[in-house]
């Protein structure tokens, strides 16, 4: 190990008890100080197992061989075979980890300042007061405003991006030599993702820390990584400088990953000089849902807090409409209105030609029978105690009680075939399927009643690009067969560009721009839309540099 190499993995093999094949097979890689190395591949490729091996966090059912060495101040430390006491000394002080989901990484019962201070005291002789002061300083360094006050708040009081900044602050608490970032931006909006990538870039530049980043987002690789290792079925199939691998891949699997990425059209980021100018709203001839002048919100402590204001939106028969914006923009509130889960405070909502707000009881249920919904998290939306067949058939049991069991089984088999799952899937449980397969089950359940409107809430946000491409292909095929209108909620503008005819952009509860997808994404007139587009990372390193520069200019306006 050279003086500049802070992490070296040599011939790593990992096997789990009860499995014939190894999860990781002969992985060798290194990370230098001040360098970002990306480990990419689909779910099950072995990249997360490799990252957990480097932290000594493999479960007791795993057996690892090979060598993983990290550079401590006094020399090298071996991870494989280290005792619990040795690993406790290494973790946090020498090598730290930024986890994918900050809400599960943070303790909901402790203030954020206390959690950062705890990390400081674990490896230093700092007093309680000194650790608390250090926690505030770390929060300031990772860009959290008013850190003195916010150090006394809890995780639920922070946004997703701010929580991820706190997790990064914890990782930095003891000035480690290596940070392992496991999908650090997967669940974040594009603008928040861009901010987190800027933060990681600054940390590498200013602190000289080495970063091993686990991701399936090739745009993130183009934006941040110096080198990339592509993994498949536990092996590294291609590696090299990020620019070379992304622009001229040599392995067919890498080319397949890159081809599956939904890209944006070339956009005029510098379009409008005046924010607020937008494409005109035009209602389609046969809307399956129409909202006019709608305001809605929630009761908080007896006080009404509006979430959306004066919304004018419609989805035509057989039309895909994309609804985009950051977290907190009001997208989910609009979805709840369309599903009849939230009443409008003012304005009109017509669903399939009927005034939704005036219907009650059986009449409302009959109308909502023609509305399907696909949720963001298929694992959370499927009952783990029900077989896949029972989950898909459940809407039939509620809304089509005249059908016999044989007819229901036939309809379930028809849907399983349509979403490209085997017929024996009906007798299996959700935990037996991958994330992409579970999302197909959710799609089958949403369409079992042949609805006229489908509300899809971030249905591909947590999927690998190749799995995402498969789910989108199934969705397009079913749309061609059934002709439903779809309100497609997403923060992935590449997917929106690939799938929708029109797009609606929301910010802070208001629609700031809407129109044909080709018009809005190629020539955005609203500065906020331009910033959204400039924040989407491109897998082309040259295009990504241009987008980053455009975003910096837009932020100054």
């Amino acid at each position: 190990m050279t003086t500049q190499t802070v992490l070296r993995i040599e011939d790593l093999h990992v096997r789990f008890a009860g499995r014939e094949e190894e999860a990781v097979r002969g992985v060798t890689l290194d990370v230098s100080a001040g360098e970002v190395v990306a480990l990419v591949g689909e779910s099950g490729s072995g990249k997360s197992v490799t990252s957990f091996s480097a932290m000594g966090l493999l479960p007791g059912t795993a057996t690892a061989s090979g060598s993983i060495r990290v550079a401590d101040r006094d020399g090298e430390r071996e991870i494989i075979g280290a005792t619990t006491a040795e690993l406790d000394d290494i973790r946090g002080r020498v090598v730290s980890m930024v986890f994918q989901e900050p809400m599960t990484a943070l303790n909901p019962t402790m203030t954020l300042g206390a959690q950062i201070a705890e990390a400081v005291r674990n490896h230093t002789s700092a007093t309680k007061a000194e650790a608390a002061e250090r926690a505030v300083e770390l929060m300031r360094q990772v860009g959290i405003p008013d850190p003195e006050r916010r150090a006394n708040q809890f995780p639920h009081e922070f946004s997703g991006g701010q929580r991820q900044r706190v997790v990064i602050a914890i990782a930095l608490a003891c000035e480690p030599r290596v940070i392992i970032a496991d999908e650090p931006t997967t669940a974040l909006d594009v603008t928040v993702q861009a901010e987190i990538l800027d933060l990681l870039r600054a940390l590498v530049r200013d602190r000289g820390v080495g970063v091993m980043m686990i991701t399936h987002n090739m745009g993130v690789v183009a934006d941040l990584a110096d080198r990339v290792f592509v993994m498949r079925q536990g092996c590294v199939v291609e590696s090299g400088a990020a620019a070379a691998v992304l622009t001229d891949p040599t392995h067919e699997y890498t080319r397949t990953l890159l081809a599956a990425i939904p890209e944006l059209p070339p956009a005029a980021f510098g379009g409008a000089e005046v924010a607020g100018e937008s494409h005109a709203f035009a209602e389609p001839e046969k809307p399956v849902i129409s909202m006019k002048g709608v305001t809605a919100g929630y009761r908080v402590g007896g006080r009404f807090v509006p979430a959306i204001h004066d919304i004018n939106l419609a989805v035509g028969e057989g039309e895909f409409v994309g609804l985009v914006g950051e977290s907190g923009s009001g997208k989910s509130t609009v979805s709840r209105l369309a599903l009849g889960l939230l009443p409008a405070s003012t304005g009109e909502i017509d669903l399939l030609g009927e005034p939704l707000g005036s219907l009650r009881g059986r009449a409302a249920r009959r109308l909502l029978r023609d509305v399907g919904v696909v949720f963001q998290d298929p694992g959370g939306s499927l009952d783990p105690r029900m077989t896949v067949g029972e989950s898909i058939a459940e809407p039939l049991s509620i809304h089509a009680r005249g059908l016999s069991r044989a007819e229901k089984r036939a309809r379930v088999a028809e849907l399983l075939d349509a979403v490209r799952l085997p017929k024996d899937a009906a007798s299996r449980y959700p935990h037996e399927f991958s994330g992409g397969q579970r999302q197909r089950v959710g799609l089958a359940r949403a369409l079992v009643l042949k609805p006229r409107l489908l509300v899809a809430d971030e249905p591909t946000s947590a999927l690998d690009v190749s799995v995402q491409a498969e789910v989108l292909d199934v969705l397009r095929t079913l749309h061609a067969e059934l002709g439903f209108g779809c309100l497609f909620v997403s923060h992935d503008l590449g997917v929106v560009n690939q799938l929708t005819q029109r797009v609606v952009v929301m910010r802070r509860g208001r629609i700031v721009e809407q129109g044909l997808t080709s018009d809005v994404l190629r020539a955005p007139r609203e500065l906020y839309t331009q910033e959204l587009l400039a924040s989407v990372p491109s897998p082309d390193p040259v295009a990504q540099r241009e987008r980053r520069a455009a975003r910096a200019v837009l932020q100054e306006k």
Side-chain angles (χ1 to χ4, degrees):
M1 183 180 291
T2 68
T3 55
Q4 288 298 308
T5 305
V6 292
L7 169 67
R8 185 180 296 281
I9 299 174
E10 294 180 329
D11 195 28
L12 175 66
H13 291 258
V14 179
R15 184 187 297 275
F16 288 91
R19 297 187 188 178
E20 291 185 9
E21 293 189 359
E22 292 179 324
V24 175
R25 299 184 288 162
V27 168
T28 296
L29 62 86
D30 60 271
V31 181
S32 296
E35 181 187 37
V36 178
V37 171
L39 204 55
V40 304
E42 298 172 292
S43 294
S45 63
K47 58 187 190 300
S48 289
V49 174
T50 301
S51 70
F52 282 105
S53 300
M55 285 289 292
L57 291 174
L58 290 174
T61 56
T63 303
S65 63
S67 175
I68 301 176
R69 290 174 288 166
V70 290
D72 200 354
R73 297 176 183 85
D74 303 321
E76 301 172 10
R77 303 288 294 273
E78 176 64 53
I79 299 293
I80 293 179
T83 65
T84 301
E86 289 171 335
L87 289 174
D88 286 344
D89 180 55
I90 292 170
R91 295 186 196 123
R93 186 180 63 80
V94 183
V95 55
S96 289
M97 194 159 195
V98 176
F99 293 93
Q100 178 176 355
E101 177 46 65
M103 270 305 274
T104 58
L106 295 170
N107 187 333
T109 66
M110 291 177 65
T111 66
L112 293 167
Q115 294 186 59
I116 300 171
E118 182 181 53
V120 173
R121 297 193 72 190
N122 280 343
H123 293 287
T124 70
S125 58
T127 64
K128 191 173 182 179
E130 290 170 339
E133 186 177 339
R134 171 71 173 151
V136 170
E137 178 56 30
L138 283 164
M139 291 179 76
R140 182 178 290 109
Q141 289 175 11
V142 297
I144 294 175
D146 193 10
E148 290 84 1
R149 178 180 65 85
R150 305 214 68 184
N152 296 315
Q153 293 182 321
F154 292 86
H156 72 271
E157 298 179 84
F158 277 53
S159 68
Q162 289 174 325
R163 285 194 291 264
Q164 194 63 288
R165 289 174 184 269
V166 172
V167 173
I168 292 172
I170 292 172
L172 292 171
C174 298
E175 301 184 357
R177 303 292 303 278
V178 186
I179 291 178
I180 298 171
D182 185 13
E183 301 277 12
T185 64
T186 293
L188 302 179
D189 298 325
V190 288
T191 50
V192 180
Q193 172 180 267
E195 292 170 2
I196 295 299
L197 293 177
D198 286 344
L199 173 60
L200 289 172
R201 189 181 299 106
L203 293 173
V204 172
R205 181 188 63 236
D206 299 339
R207 294 172 178 258
V209 65
V211 174
M212 184 168 79
M213 181 172 62
I214 315 303
T215 185
H216 63 253
N217 189 328
M218 290 297 199
V220 170
V221 174
D223 189 59
L224 194 62
D226 299 296
R227 288 187 295 136
V228 59
F229 289 76
V230 182
M231 290 191 68
R232 185 187 189 194
Q233 297 176 348
C235 299
V236 174
V237 297
E238 184 167 3
S239 64
V245 172
L246 294 175
T247 56
D248 188 23
T250 60
H251 198 279
E252 182 60 32
Y253 177 67
T254 310
R255 289 194 288 268
T256 301
L257 284 180
L258 290 167
I261 300 170
E263 258 285 36
L264 291 172
F269 295 121
E273 292 298 329
V274 180
E277 184 184 359
S278 63
H279 299 276
F281 166 68
E283 185 169 275
E285 287 186 12
K286 297 180 179 179
V288 289
I289 188 164
S290 173
M291 300 183 186
K292 295 179 181 177
V294 172
T295 296
Y298 304 90
R299 289 278 172 188
V300 179
R303 182 172 61 92
F304 177 75
V305 179
I308 59 170
H309 308 266
D310 194 25
I311 297 298
N312 294 301
L313 176 151
V315 178
E317 194 174 87
E319 182 184 35
F320 263 93
V321 175
L323 186 61
V324 304
E326 298 170 294
S327 293
S329 62
K331 305 190 304 294
S332 294
T333 300
V334 171
S335 300
R336 289 171 63 83
L337 287 164
L339 294 168
L341 298 175
L342 182 71
S345 301
T346 61
E348 300 176 359
I349 302 177
D350 286 346
L351 178 62
L352 306 173
E354 298 283 347
L356 183 58
S358 64
L359 298 178
R360 296 289 184 274
R362 189 172 298 173
R365 285 196 297 274
R366 274 199 303 266
L367 185 64
L368 291 169
R369 176 190 185 282
D370 285 324
V371 181
V373 58
V374 182
F375 296 97
Q376 178 175 359
D377 179 11
S381 63
L382 296 172
D383 190 331
R385 299 166 299 179
M386 295 173 68
T387 66
V388 160
E390 290 170 340
S391 289
I392 296 174
E394 188 177 27
L396 293 173
S397 301
I398 296 170
H399 293 288
R401 295 179 180 176
L403 293 179
S404 67
R405 288 186 178 181
E407 288 172 321
K408 290 177 183 178
R409 283 197 298 269
R411 179 64 179 148
V412 169
E414 179 186 340
L415 263 297
L416 287 172
D417 184 60
V419 298
R420 303 172 193 172
L421 289 174
K423 286 184 172 58
D424 66 357
S427 60
R428 294 157 63 188
Y429 289 87
H431 72 270
E432 300 179 66
F433 294 86
S434 68
Q437 289 173 323
R438 284 197 295 266
Q439 195 59 286
R440 292 191 216 174
V441 172
L443 185 57
R445 182 179 60 179
L447 297 176
V448 69
L449 293 171
K450 298 183 179 179
R452 294 172 61 191
L453 171 65
L454 179 69
V455 178
D457 186 11
E458 302 274 14
T460 62
S461 65
L463 303 179
D464 297 329
V465 286
S466 55
V467 178
Q468 173 181 268
E470 293 173 4
V471 171
L472 293 178
D473 187 45
V474 169
L475 184 56
R476 272 191 295 264
T477 302
L478 292 171
H479 174 255
E481 293 175 3
L482 301 175
F484 51 81
C486 181
L487 181 64
F488 189 84
V489 182
S490 181
H491 65 253
D492 190 329
L493 295 177
V495 170
V496 168
N497 175 59
Q498 188 181 83
L499 200 63
T500 67
Q501 289 86 47
R502 289 192 298 114
V503 63
V504 178
V505 183
M506 293 193 68
R507 185 188 191 194
R508 296 176 183 171
R510 299 182 185 275
I511 292 174
V512 296
E513 184 161 11
Q514 64 177 306
L516 295 176
T517 302
S518 57
D519 290 341
V520 173
L521 298 189
R522 288 181 185 276
R525 299 177 183 174
E526 167 64 46
L527 291 179
Y528 174 70
T529 311
Q530 295 174 32
E531 187 176 345
L532 277 181
L533 289 165
S535 299
V536 178
S538 169
D540 182 333
V542 175
Q544 180 52 29
R545 284 195 295 272
E546 292 173 353
R547 287 186 189 178
R548 194 191 309 159
R551 176 171 165 266
V553 171
L554 290 167
Q555 287 180 321
E556 294 176 358
K557 291 188 177 182

